[in-house]
């Protein structure tokens, strides 16, 4: 009689375990809020990077131009 109870309890616990684990089914759903927020952040980062790069390019051109002017003035003296 004790073996029947042990086997029944084992079968019941295995059944509960299988149901709790979802039977191995994998969920492919993502967090839509996190995905949307990530897209907004990535878009803002690209825009900011583009703006910083254009300012850096303009500043470098200005510095190079000023350096050429200084070099040519120094060469004349």
């Amino acid at each position: 009689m004790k073996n029947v109870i042990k086997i029944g309890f084992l079968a019941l616990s295995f059944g509960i375990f299988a149901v709790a684990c979802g039977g191995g089914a994998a969920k492919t759903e993502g967090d839509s809020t996190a995905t949307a927020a990530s897209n907004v952040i990535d878009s803002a980062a690209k825009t900011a990077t583009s703006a910083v790069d254009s300012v850096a390019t303009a500043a470098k051109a200005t510095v190079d131009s000023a350096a050429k002017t200084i070099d040519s003035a120094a060469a004349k003296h």
Side-chain angles (χ1 to χ4, degrees):
M1 186 70 179
K2 289 183 182 180
N3 287 337
V4 173
I5 294 173
K6 289 178 188 178
I7 292 173
F9 180 74
L10 181 64
L12 177 66
S13 62
F14 180 73
I16 292 172
F17 175 77
V19 170
C21 291
K27 288 188 176 183
T28 59
E29 298 176 17
D31 187 358
S32 62
T33 304
T35 303
S38 178
N39 290 340
V40 170
I41 291 170
D42 290 344
S43 174
K46 287 178 185 176
T47 303
T49 301
S50 174
V52 168
D53 288 345
S54 65
V55 169
T57 303
K60 183 178 180 201
T62 303
V63 169
D64 288 344
S65 174
K68 287 180 185 178
T69 304
I70 293 170
D71 288 343
S72 65
K76 292 181 183 177
H77 290 293

